[in-house]
């Protein structure tokens, strides 16, 4: 529960009444009676004074106010003011305060007033009083029923006062929990920090993108402001880097690209009569030039001389006639398999398009050389009998002669770009790429193919050199700088996402000292040593910065979430690691509740990775650690074996494991954590995970009894059915279960599947699943639910209608989070009221 000594008004042991003793007030706003042109209106109604109560007043008048007004003996008495004119006999004033509840429960807000008034809770009008009285003893009392969750509520009262009244206006405010909620504790306050809630993850004004112009003089910034209810205001602005001045705005959804010619020009497409136009905007003059008119294209690559651009057109393999469909491949179920992209070259001077590729094999442009003479193309061919079930071919197209050379073929290639001089290629791929030249794993291991590595290909000598073999972070993306000829890698570095500068000559990596823990994008200028990057940390939302490569200084450009962040009472996560029984350092971190008291004992929630990526230090996350902490939990995030970002050997432990080692480390870490921290109640420990983490939640309950509650979202209960039924089950398993199949390794598929050990589960388990999950089909939760019900175990199964692997819908995401909150409150706090309100017995 959050209290501020400066703002706490009055708190008695529940369920006794709380008298509100102080409110913020706006200035008095004069209200004039209208000129009565007729005795009644179009609805034959006569004018009544209560109509003046409907006068529109902006709530910011009181939200931004600094005036505080105190009660005397629990009664607010407002000074009587003379009426300045015959027609101005009334005035409106706003009053405000906050209500905080420590748990789910019900209460009543009672208002006794001599004035007319309206009551708003979180901007929603709840009740009105439409009469004047000359004393509080004669005044009417209205009550507002409150259903409170553990969060802050804003109460705004709009009072209409009579300036001609002989007596001063009076008001009395009380809050009382219902008898059934005798443990509910409520406080009333004015300002100060508040606890973070799920709405803070969804609502607010954030930076969603940013990039820098070729000369470093300008930058683009994308922002989105989300209002309660999911109303959105999205902007794309072009700004001057030095002054921050807005030069222009672009329509939402415009895809903007900087000119590849090193000039401050923006290239973008816009809808034409039937297809699209390609536009070049010269920022210096703010003039537009149409490069191509009415062309059917999507993604494109413009040449540096702006004489042509390459683009793809997508064709579909024809569908079967009738109501039956022949499945052409395991990937055909996903809907994207039948699409094939063909390559075209559009000549800007001639305004003609020429087909460059033909056939059933799709092709994509990976990069265009700076001189515009050659391009890198990647084709993908399915190889369903050999993992990872596809083979990539890297081609070089001569754009003058239209001849093609095959550079290499590899099953683990994921990307290729030219060096600034075109003499080398930067290749990205799995550790097994190019014959395993970049492998660094233990004997008997198979590499985790999601642990992306970097390689340099020498065009002249046709040699491949691994450059990240001894570099533990996992490559997210890379840019080879035209300015200083270094490569800038954005990487997964344990639970951080950082940027490293790689020097090709010295073959050394240098970590950039950037002021955020998770860097989401990093954009380099071409002719200056400048960059723009977007990042967030565990305790703040995304911000946009400029970075000077020479001085190594960052300058904050955009921080639209700042005001909302300043309202929140957040504690920074604390790093905590241990050396496992297997002699591995397992890293992690934990979050403490606001106003943490080390003499008390708190329930604990444990979270671990899903898929194979570590749990990064993001502020906005589907499983919001700061929100759990704000509800009175300690949250422990553990990074067990198998996660990428810790080195190839560590990530390879994910392969063919399915809980082996990883589960032991989670159990060991959890036990050591609550043993070493006296403020944890070891009998009230919960765990939560999704996807592979949901599998881990289920598997853990077959291995230990330390958890008092568990949550599995989109979890895998049977590795065999997931492998065969999920759209990507077989392809994910090519990494997680490399070379293992139900027919050659039944021990893995049966012994590691929680479903086959459901009788060992004794933890209350909440199963959550989207009804149209194409990654992990909902049947994975259905069969575990059926098993546990038959076994008479404590289990609940909540489906989220119309949602896929993640919960994307705004309203459903809130309801889904509250379901998780209520489940933990029920089992870890002994507070079933919220769960029972959401899912009453039927």
């Amino acid at each position: 529960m959050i209290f501020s000594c400066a703002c706490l008004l009055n708190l008695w042991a529940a369920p006794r009444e709380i008298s509100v003793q102080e409110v913020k007030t706006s200035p008095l706003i004069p209200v004039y009676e209208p000129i009565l042109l007729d005795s009644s209106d179009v609805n034959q109604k006569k004018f009544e004074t209560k109509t003046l109560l409907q006068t529109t007043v902006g709530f910011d008048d009181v939200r931004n106010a600094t005036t505080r007004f105190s009660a005397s003996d629990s009664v607010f008495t407002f000074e009587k003011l003379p009426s300045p004119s015959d027609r101005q006999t009334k005035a409106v004033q706003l009053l405000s305060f906050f209500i905080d509840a420590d748990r789910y429960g019900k209460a009543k807000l009672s208002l006794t007033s001599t004035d007319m008034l309206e009551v708003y809770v979180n901007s929603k009008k709840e009740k009105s009083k439409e009469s004047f009285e000359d004393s509080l003893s004669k005044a009417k009392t209205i009550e507002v029923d409150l259903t409170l969750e553990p969060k802050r509520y804003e109460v705004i009262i709009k009072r209409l006062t009579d300036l001609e009244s002989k007596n001063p206006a009076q008001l009395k405010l009380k809050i009382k929990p219902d008898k059934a909620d005798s443990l509910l504790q409520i406080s009333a306050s004015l300002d100060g920090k508040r606890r973070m809630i799920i709405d803070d993850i969804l609502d607010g004004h954030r930076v969603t993108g940013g990039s820098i112009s070729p000369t470093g003089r300008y930058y683009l910034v994308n922002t989105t402001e989300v209002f309660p209810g999911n109303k959105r205001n999205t902007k794309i602005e072009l700004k001057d880097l030095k002054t921050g001045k807005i030069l222009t705005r672009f329509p939402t959804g415009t895809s903007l690209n900087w000119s590849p010619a090193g000039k401050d020009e923006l290239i973008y497409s816009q809808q034409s009569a039937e297809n699209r136009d390609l536009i070049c905007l010269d920022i210096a003059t703010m003039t537009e030039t149409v490069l191509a008119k009415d062309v059917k294209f999507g993604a494109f690559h413009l040449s540096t001389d702006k004489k042509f651009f390459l683009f793809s057109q997508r064709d579909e393999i024809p569908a079967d006639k009738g109501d039956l469909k022949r499945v052409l491949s395991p990937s055909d179920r996903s809907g994207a398999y039948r699409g094939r992209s063909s390559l075209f070259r559009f000549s800007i001077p001639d305004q003609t398009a020429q087909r460059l590729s033909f056939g059933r094999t799709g092709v994509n442009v990976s990069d265009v050389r700076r001189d515009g003479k050659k391009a890198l193309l990647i084709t993908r061919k399915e190889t369903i009998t050999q993992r990872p079930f596809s083979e990539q071919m890297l081609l070089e197209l001569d754009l003058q002669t239209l001849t093609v050379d095959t550079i290499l073929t590899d099953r683990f290639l994921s990307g290729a770009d030219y060096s600034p001089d075109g003499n080398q290629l930067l290749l990205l791929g799995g550790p097994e790429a190019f014959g395993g030249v970049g492998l660094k794993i233990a004997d008997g291991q198979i590499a985790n193919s999601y642990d992306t590595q970097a390689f340099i290909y020498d065009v002249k000598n046709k040699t491949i050199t691994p450059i990240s073999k001894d570099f533990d972070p996992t490559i997210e993306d890379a840019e080879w700088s035209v300015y200083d000829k270094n490569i800038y890698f954005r990487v997964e570095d344990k639970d951080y996402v950082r940027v490293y500068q790689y020097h090709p000559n010295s073959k050394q990596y240098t970590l950039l000292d950037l002021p955020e823990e998770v860097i989401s994008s990093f954009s380099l200028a071409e002719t200056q040593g400048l960059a723009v990057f977007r990042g967030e940390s565990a305790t703040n939302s995304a911000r946009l910065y400029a970075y000077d490569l020479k001085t190594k200084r960052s300058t904050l450009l955009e921080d639209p979430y700042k005001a909302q962040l300043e309202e929140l009472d957040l504690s920074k996560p604390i790093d905590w690691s241990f050396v496992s029984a297997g002699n591995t350092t397992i890293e992690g971190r934990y979050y403490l509740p606001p106003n943490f008291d080390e003499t008390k004992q708190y329930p604990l929630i444990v979270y671990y990775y899903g898929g194979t990526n570590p749990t990064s230090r993001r502020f906005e996350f589907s499983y919001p650690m700061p929100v759990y902490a704000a509800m009175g939990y300690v949250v422990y995030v553990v990074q067990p074996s198998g996660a990428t970002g810790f080195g190839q050997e560590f990530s390879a432990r994910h392969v063919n494991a399915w809980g082996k080692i990883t589960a032991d480390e989670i159990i060991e870490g959890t036990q050591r954590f609550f043993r070493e921290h006296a403020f944890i109640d070891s009998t009230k420990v919960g765990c939560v995970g999704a996807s592979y983490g949901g599998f881990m939640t289920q598997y853990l309950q077959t291995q230990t009894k330390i958890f008092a509650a568990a949550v599995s979202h989109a979890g895998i209960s049977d590795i065999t059915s997931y492998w065969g039924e999920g759209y990507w089950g077989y392809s994910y398993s090519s990494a997680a279960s490399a070379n293992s199949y139900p027919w050659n390794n039944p021990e893995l598929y049966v012994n590691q599947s929680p479903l086959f050990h459901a009788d060992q589960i004794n933890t209350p388990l909440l199963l959550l699943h989207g009804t149209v999950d194409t990654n992990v089909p909902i049947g994975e939760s259905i069969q575990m639910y059926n098993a546990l019900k038959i076994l008479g175990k404590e289990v609940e199964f909540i489906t989220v209608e119309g949602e896929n692997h993640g919960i994307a819908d705004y309203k459903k995401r809130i309801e889904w989070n509250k379901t998780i909150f209520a489940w933990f409150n029920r089992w870890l706090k002994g507070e079933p009221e919220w769960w029972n309100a959401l899912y009453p017995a039927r």
Side-chain angles (χ1 to χ4, degrees), residues 50 90 128 146 169 182 187 204 270 349 386 405 438 513 518 560 590 621 628 648 707 734 765 802 835:
K50 66 181 182 180
K90 307 291 185 291
S128 297
L146 302 172
S182 59
S187 65
Q270 65 182 24
Q386 188 176 18
D405 289 329
D513 184 15
V518 179
Y590 63 94
F621 187 57
Y628 296 157
Q648 288 187 42
F707 296 107
S734 73
L765 177 61
W835 179 268

PDB file of all heavy atoms in Angstrom, residues 50 90 128 146 169 182 187 204 270 349 386 405 438 513 518 560 590 621 628 648 707 734 765 802 835:
ATOM      1  N   LYS A  50     -30.754  24.226 -11.725  1.00  0.00           N
ATOM      2  CA  LYS A  50     -29.876  23.051 -11.779  1.00  0.00           C
ATOM      3  C   LYS A  50     -29.219  22.883 -13.154  1.00  0.00           C
ATOM      4  O   LYS A  50     -28.194  22.202 -13.276  1.00  0.00           O
ATOM      5  CB  LYS A  50     -30.644  21.789 -11.405  1.00  0.00           C
ATOM      6  CG  LYS A  50     -31.733  21.404 -12.394  1.00  0.00           C
ATOM      7  CD  LYS A  50     -32.459  20.142 -11.941  1.00  0.00           C
ATOM      8  CE  LYS A  50     -33.522  19.712 -12.937  1.00  0.00           C
ATOM      9  NZ  LYS A  50     -34.224  18.492 -12.490  1.00  0.00           N
ATOM     10  N   LYS A  90     -24.550  32.798  -9.345  1.00  0.00           N
ATOM     11  CA  LYS A  90     -24.029  31.462  -9.104  1.00  0.00           C
ATOM     12  C   LYS A  90     -22.572  31.389  -9.572  1.00  0.00           C
ATOM     13  O   LYS A  90     -22.096  32.208 -10.363  1.00  0.00           O
ATOM     14  CB  LYS A  90     -24.854  30.410  -9.864  1.00  0.00           C
ATOM     15  CG  LYS A  90     -26.353  30.465  -9.615  1.00  0.00           C
ATOM     16  CD  LYS A  90     -26.692  30.050  -8.204  1.00  0.00           C
ATOM     17  CE  LYS A  90     -28.205  29.981  -8.015  1.00  0.00           C
ATOM     18  NZ  LYS A  90     -28.851  31.328  -8.062  1.00  0.00           N
ATOM     19  N   SER A 128     -25.310  12.999  -9.088  1.00  0.00           N
ATOM     20  CA  SER A 128     -25.590  14.432  -9.033  1.00  0.00           C
ATOM     21  C   SER A 128     -26.488  14.734  -7.843  1.00  0.00           C
ATOM     22  O   SER A 128     -27.289  13.894  -7.424  1.00  0.00           O
ATOM     23  CB  SER A 128     -26.298  14.906 -10.316  1.00  0.00           C
ATOM     24  OG  SER A 128     -25.483  14.728 -11.437  1.00  0.00           O
ATOM     25  N   LEU A 146     -18.414   2.394  -4.863  1.00  0.00           N
ATOM     26  CA  LEU A 146     -17.081   2.246  -5.414  1.00  0.00           C
ATOM     27  C   LEU A 146     -16.678   0.777  -5.433  1.00  0.00           C
ATOM     28  O   LEU A 146     -16.765   0.093  -4.413  1.00  0.00           O
ATOM     29  CB  LEU A 146     -16.058   3.026  -4.587  1.00  0.00           C
ATOM     30  CG  LEU A 146     -16.276   4.536  -4.427  1.00  0.00           C
ATOM     31  CD1 LEU A 146     -15.283   5.102  -3.421  1.00  0.00           C
ATOM     32  CD2 LEU A 146     -16.151   5.235  -5.767  1.00  0.00           C
ATOM     33  N   ALA A 169     -21.468  27.994   2.106  1.00  0.00           N
ATOM     34  CA  ALA A 169     -21.680  26.618   1.649  1.00  0.00           C
ATOM     35  C   ALA A 169     -20.814  25.675   2.463  1.00  0.00           C
ATOM     36  O   ALA A 169     -19.709  26.017   2.895  1.00  0.00           O
ATOM     37  CB  ALA A 169     -21.348  26.513   0.170  1.00  0.00           C
ATOM     38  N   SER A 182     -13.975  -5.951   5.194  1.00  0.00           N
ATOM     39  CA  SER A 182     -13.463  -5.336   6.410  1.00  0.00           C
ATOM     40  C   SER A 182     -11.945  -5.201   6.417  1.00  0.00           C
ATOM     41  O   SER A 182     -11.399  -4.414   7.170  1.00  0.00           O
ATOM     42  CB  SER A 182     -13.903  -6.157   7.632  1.00  0.00           C
ATOM     43  OG  SER A 182     -13.415  -7.490   7.524  1.00  0.00           O
ATOM     44  N   SER A 187      -6.991   4.988   1.604  1.00  0.00           N
ATOM     45  CA  SER A 187      -6.458   6.285   2.007  1.00  0.00           C
ATOM     46  C   SER A 187      -6.961   7.338   1.038  1.00  0.00           C
ATOM     47  O   SER A 187      -7.267   7.038  -0.122  1.00  0.00           O
ATOM     48  CB  SER A 187      -4.929   6.278   2.032  1.00  0.00           C
ATOM     49  OG  SER A 187      -4.421   6.080   0.732  1.00  0.00           O
ATOM     50  N   GLY A 204      -0.510   6.413 -22.466  1.00  0.00           N
ATOM     51  CA  GLY A 204       0.586   7.363 -22.320  1.00  0.00           C
ATOM     52  C   GLY A 204       1.169   7.774 -23.650  1.00  0.00           C
ATOM     53  O   GLY A 204       0.810   7.268 -24.718  1.00  0.00           O
ATOM     54  N   GLN A 270       3.351   7.363 -51.805  1.00  0.00           N
ATOM     55  CA  GLN A 270       1.992   7.753 -51.431  1.00  0.00           C
ATOM     56  C   GLN A 270       1.026   7.227 -52.480  1.00  0.00           C
ATOM     57  O   GLN A 270       1.406   6.961 -53.627  1.00  0.00           O
ATOM     58  CB  GLN A 270       1.857   9.271 -51.299  1.00  0.00           C
ATOM     59  CG  GLN A 270       2.056  10.059 -52.564  1.00  0.00           C
ATOM     60  CD  GLN A 270       1.959  11.567 -52.339  1.00  0.00           C
ATOM     61  OE1 GLN A 270       2.183  12.063 -51.245  1.00  0.00           O
ATOM     62  NE2 GLN A 270       1.641  12.302 -53.388  1.00  0.00           N
ATOM     63  N   PRO A 349      14.507   7.827 -65.197  1.00  0.00           N
ATOM     64  CA  PRO A 349      14.474   8.706 -66.386  1.00  0.00           C
ATOM     65  C   PRO A 349      13.464   8.241 -67.429  1.00  0.00           C
ATOM     66  O   PRO A 349      12.784   9.059 -68.056  1.00  0.00           O
ATOM     67  CB  PRO A 349      15.909   8.630 -66.910  1.00  0.00           C
ATOM     68  CG  PRO A 349      16.726   8.252 -65.721  1.00  0.00           C
ATOM     69  CD  PRO A 349      15.866   7.336 -64.928  1.00  0.00           C
ATOM     70  N   GLN A 386      15.466 -31.601 -44.054  1.00  0.00           N
ATOM     71  CA  GLN A 386      16.684 -31.273 -43.312  1.00  0.00           C
ATOM     72  C   GLN A 386      16.505 -29.960 -42.558  1.00  0.00           C
ATOM     73  O   GLN A 386      16.136 -28.957 -43.150  1.00  0.00           O
ATOM     74  CB  GLN A 386      17.868 -31.170 -44.296  1.00  0.00           C
ATOM     75  CG  GLN A 386      19.218 -31.016 -43.623  1.00  0.00           C
ATOM     76  CD  GLN A 386      20.360 -31.008 -44.629  1.00  0.00           C
ATOM     77  OE1 GLN A 386      20.147 -30.785 -45.816  1.00  0.00           O
ATOM     78  NE2 GLN A 386      21.569 -31.239 -44.167  1.00  0.00           N
ATOM     79  N   ASP A 405      25.647 -13.724 -60.145  1.00  0.00           N
ATOM     80  CA  ASP A 405      26.645 -14.635 -59.603  1.00  0.00           C
ATOM     81  C   ASP A 405      26.145 -15.180 -58.269  1.00  0.00           C
ATOM     82  O   ASP A 405      25.582 -14.439 -57.462  1.00  0.00           O
ATOM     83  CB  ASP A 405      27.986 -13.930 -59.373  1.00  0.00           C
ATOM     84  CG  ASP A 405      28.700 -13.596 -60.671  1.00  0.00           C
ATOM     85  OD1 ASP A 405      28.528 -14.358 -61.639  1.00  0.00           O
ATOM     86  OD2 ASP A 405      29.405 -12.581 -60.705  1.00  0.00           O
ATOM     87  N   GLY A 438      31.983 -20.424 -37.183  1.00  0.00           N
ATOM     88  CA  GLY A 438      31.860 -19.535 -36.037  1.00  0.00           C
ATOM     89  C   GLY A 438      31.388 -20.219 -34.772  1.00  0.00           C
ATOM     90  O   GLY A 438      31.044 -19.558 -33.792  1.00  0.00           O
ATOM     91  N   ASP A 513      28.695   3.786 -24.298  1.00  0.00           N
ATOM     92  CA  ASP A 513      28.108   4.118 -23.000  1.00  0.00           C
ATOM     93  C   ASP A 513      26.852   4.955 -23.232  1.00  0.00           C
ATOM     94  O   ASP A 513      26.891   6.188 -23.242  1.00  0.00           O
ATOM     95  CB  ASP A 513      29.132   4.883 -22.155  1.00  0.00           C
ATOM     96  CG  ASP A 513      28.608   5.162 -20.750  1.00  0.00           C
ATOM     97  OD1 ASP A 513      27.607   4.530 -20.354  1.00  0.00           O
ATOM     98  OD2 ASP A 513      29.195   6.017 -20.050  1.00  0.00           O
ATOM     99  N   VAL A 518      17.922  -0.712 -22.599  1.00  0.00           N
ATOM    100  CA  VAL A 518      17.428  -1.462 -23.752  1.00  0.00           C
ATOM    101  C   VAL A 518      17.367  -0.513 -24.941  1.00  0.00           C
ATOM    102  O   VAL A 518      16.512   0.382 -24.991  1.00  0.00           O
ATOM    103  CB  VAL A 518      16.035  -2.065 -23.478  1.00  0.00           C
ATOM    104  CG1 VAL A 518      15.520  -2.814 -24.705  1.00  0.00           C
ATOM    105  CG2 VAL A 518      16.085  -3.007 -22.277  1.00  0.00           C
ATOM    106  N   PRO A 560       8.450  12.097 -24.155  1.00  0.00           N
ATOM    107  CA  PRO A 560       7.039  12.465 -23.962  1.00  0.00           C
ATOM    108  C   PRO A 560       6.362  11.780 -22.773  1.00  0.00           C
ATOM    109  O   PRO A 560       5.315  12.240 -22.325  1.00  0.00           O
ATOM    110  CB  PRO A 560       6.393  12.047 -25.286  1.00  0.00           C
ATOM    111  CG  PRO A 560       7.297  10.993 -25.843  1.00  0.00           C
ATOM    112  CD  PRO A 560       8.681  11.368 -25.409  1.00  0.00           C
ATOM    113  N   TYR A 590      15.747  -8.455  -9.078  1.00  0.00           N
ATOM    114  CA  TYR A 590      14.461  -8.477  -8.390  1.00  0.00           C
ATOM    115  C   TYR A 590      13.955  -7.061  -8.161  1.00  0.00           C
ATOM    116  O   TYR A 590      14.719  -6.097  -8.119  1.00  0.00           O
ATOM    117  CB  TYR A 590      14.526  -9.266  -7.084  1.00  0.00           C
ATOM    118  CG  TYR A 590      15.441  -8.732  -6.011  1.00  0.00           C
ATOM    119  CD1 TYR A 590      14.969  -7.883  -5.007  1.00  0.00           C
ATOM    120  CD2 TYR A 590      16.777  -9.108  -5.964  1.00  0.00           C
ATOM    121  CE1 TYR A 590      15.800  -7.412  -4.001  1.00  0.00           C
ATOM    122  CE2 TYR A 590      17.625  -8.642  -4.962  1.00  0.00           C
ATOM    123  CZ  TYR A 590      17.133  -7.799  -3.984  1.00  0.00           C
ATOM    124  OH  TYR A 590      17.949  -7.333  -2.989  1.00  0.00           O
ATOM    125  N   PHE A 621       6.196  -4.244 -20.825  1.00  0.00           N
ATOM    126  CA  PHE A 621       6.357  -5.673 -21.030  1.00  0.00           C
ATOM    127  C   PHE A 621       5.010  -6.331 -20.767  1.00  0.00           C
ATOM    128  O   PHE A 621       4.212  -5.845 -19.962  1.00  0.00           O
ATOM    129  CB  PHE A 621       7.435  -6.206 -20.070  1.00  0.00           C
ATOM    130  CG  PHE A 621       7.812  -7.640 -20.290  1.00  0.00           C
ATOM    131  CD1 PHE A 621       8.275  -8.084 -21.511  1.00  0.00           C
ATOM    132  CD2 PHE A 621       7.720  -8.561 -19.243  1.00  0.00           C
ATOM    133  CE1 PHE A 621       8.641  -9.408 -21.698  1.00  0.00           C
ATOM    134  CE2 PHE A 621       8.086  -9.878 -19.422  1.00  0.00           C
ATOM    135  CZ  PHE A 621       8.553 -10.300 -20.652  1.00  0.00           C
ATOM    136  N   TYR A 628       3.491  -5.696 -10.874  1.00  0.00           N
ATOM    137  CA  TYR A 628       3.411  -6.730  -9.836  1.00  0.00           C
ATOM    138  C   TYR A 628       3.968  -6.201  -8.520  1.00  0.00           C
ATOM    139  O   TYR A 628       3.389  -6.406  -7.454  1.00  0.00           O
ATOM    140  CB  TYR A 628       4.206  -7.971 -10.249  1.00  0.00           C
ATOM    141  CG  TYR A 628       3.703  -8.710 -11.476  1.00  0.00           C
ATOM    142  CD1 TYR A 628       4.558  -9.512 -12.216  1.00  0.00           C
ATOM    143  CD2 TYR A 628       2.386  -8.630 -11.887  1.00  0.00           C
ATOM    144  CE1 TYR A 628       4.131 -10.206 -13.335  1.00  0.00           C
ATOM    145  CE2 TYR A 628       1.934  -9.307 -13.006  1.00  0.00           C
ATOM    146  CZ  TYR A 628       2.815 -10.097 -13.729  1.00  0.00           C
ATOM    147  OH  TYR A 628       2.374 -10.776 -14.836  1.00  0.00           O
ATOM    148  N   GLN A 648      27.486 -18.731 -26.752  1.00  0.00           N
ATOM    149  CA  GLN A 648      26.944 -19.860 -27.502  1.00  0.00           C
ATOM    150  C   GLN A 648      26.772 -21.114 -26.646  1.00  0.00           C
ATOM    151  O   GLN A 648      25.776 -21.831 -26.788  1.00  0.00           O
ATOM    152  CB  GLN A 648      27.859 -20.191 -28.681  1.00  0.00           C
ATOM    153  CG  GLN A 648      27.827 -19.181 -29.814  1.00  0.00           C
ATOM    154  CD  GLN A 648      28.610 -19.664 -31.007  1.00  0.00           C
ATOM    155  OE1 GLN A 648      28.535 -20.835 -31.391  1.00  0.00           O
ATOM    156  NE2 GLN A 648      29.382 -18.778 -31.609  1.00  0.00           N
ATOM    157  N   PHE A 707       6.044 -23.873  -5.181  1.00  0.00           N
ATOM    158  CA  PHE A 707       5.167 -22.799  -5.640  1.00  0.00           C
ATOM    159  C   PHE A 707       3.757 -22.970  -5.077  1.00  0.00           C
ATOM    160  O   PHE A 707       3.205 -24.076  -5.066  1.00  0.00           O
ATOM    161  CB  PHE A 707       5.122 -22.758  -7.160  1.00  0.00           C
ATOM    162  CG  PHE A 707       6.452 -22.435  -7.783  1.00  0.00           C
ATOM    163  CD1 PHE A 707       7.199 -23.414  -8.436  1.00  0.00           C
ATOM    164  CD2 PHE A 707       6.983 -21.158  -7.695  1.00  0.00           C
ATOM    165  CE1 PHE A 707       8.433 -23.132  -8.993  1.00  0.00           C
ATOM    166  CE2 PHE A 707       8.220 -20.859  -8.246  1.00  0.00           C
ATOM    167  CZ  PHE A 707       8.950 -21.854  -8.898  1.00  0.00           C
ATOM    168  N   SER A 734      13.026 -27.212 -34.667  1.00  0.00           N
ATOM    169  CA  SER A 734      14.294 -27.463 -35.356  1.00  0.00           C
ATOM    170  C   SER A 734      15.443 -26.828 -34.596  1.00  0.00           C
ATOM    171  O   SER A 734      16.604 -27.228 -34.759  1.00  0.00           O
ATOM    172  CB  SER A 734      14.240 -26.923 -36.789  1.00  0.00           C
ATOM    173  OG  SER A 734      14.306 -25.505 -36.815  1.00  0.00           O
ATOM    174  N   LEU A 765      -3.080 -24.070 -10.612  1.00  0.00           N
ATOM    175  CA  LEU A 765      -2.549 -23.679 -11.915  1.00  0.00           C
ATOM    176  C   LEU A 765      -3.606 -22.943 -12.728  1.00  0.00           C
ATOM    177  O   LEU A 765      -4.722 -23.437 -12.904  1.00  0.00           O
ATOM    178  CB  LEU A 765      -2.077 -24.917 -12.685  1.00  0.00           C
ATOM    179  CG  LEU A 765      -1.547 -24.708 -14.104  1.00  0.00           C
ATOM    180  CD1 LEU A 765      -0.319 -23.805 -14.111  1.00  0.00           C
ATOM    181  CD2 LEU A 765      -1.244 -26.045 -14.769  1.00  0.00           C
ATOM    182  N   GLY A 802     -10.554 -14.714 -29.787  1.00  0.00           N
ATOM    183  CA  GLY A 802     -10.058 -13.997 -30.951  1.00  0.00           C
ATOM    184  C   GLY A 802      -8.607 -13.570 -30.887  1.00  0.00           C
ATOM    185  O   GLY A 802      -8.114 -12.920 -31.806  1.00  0.00           O
ATOM    186  N   TRP A 835     -10.827 -12.398  -7.620  1.00  0.00           N
ATOM    187  CA  TRP A 835     -11.073 -13.545  -8.492  1.00  0.00           C
ATOM    188  C   TRP A 835     -12.566 -13.894  -8.496  1.00  0.00           C
ATOM    189  O   TRP A 835     -13.154 -14.135  -9.561  1.00  0.00           O
ATOM    190  CB  TRP A 835     -10.248 -14.747  -8.039  1.00  0.00           C
ATOM    191  CG  TRP A 835     -10.491 -15.952  -8.913  1.00  0.00           C
ATOM    192  CD1 TRP A 835     -11.405 -16.942  -8.719  1.00  0.00           C
ATOM    193  CD2 TRP A 835      -9.855 -16.238 -10.155  1.00  0.00           C
ATOM    194  NE1 TRP A 835     -11.370 -17.841  -9.754  1.00  0.00           N
ATOM    195  CE2 TRP A 835     -10.417 -17.435 -10.649  1.00  0.00           C
ATOM    196  CE3 TRP A 835      -8.851 -15.611 -10.890  1.00  0.00           C
ATOM    197  CZ2 TRP A 835     -10.018 -18.017 -11.855  1.00  0.00           C
ATOM    198  CZ3 TRP A 835      -8.442 -16.191 -12.092  1.00  0.00           C
ATOM    199  CH2 TRP A 835      -9.022 -17.378 -12.564  1.00  0.00           C
TER     200      TRP A 835
END
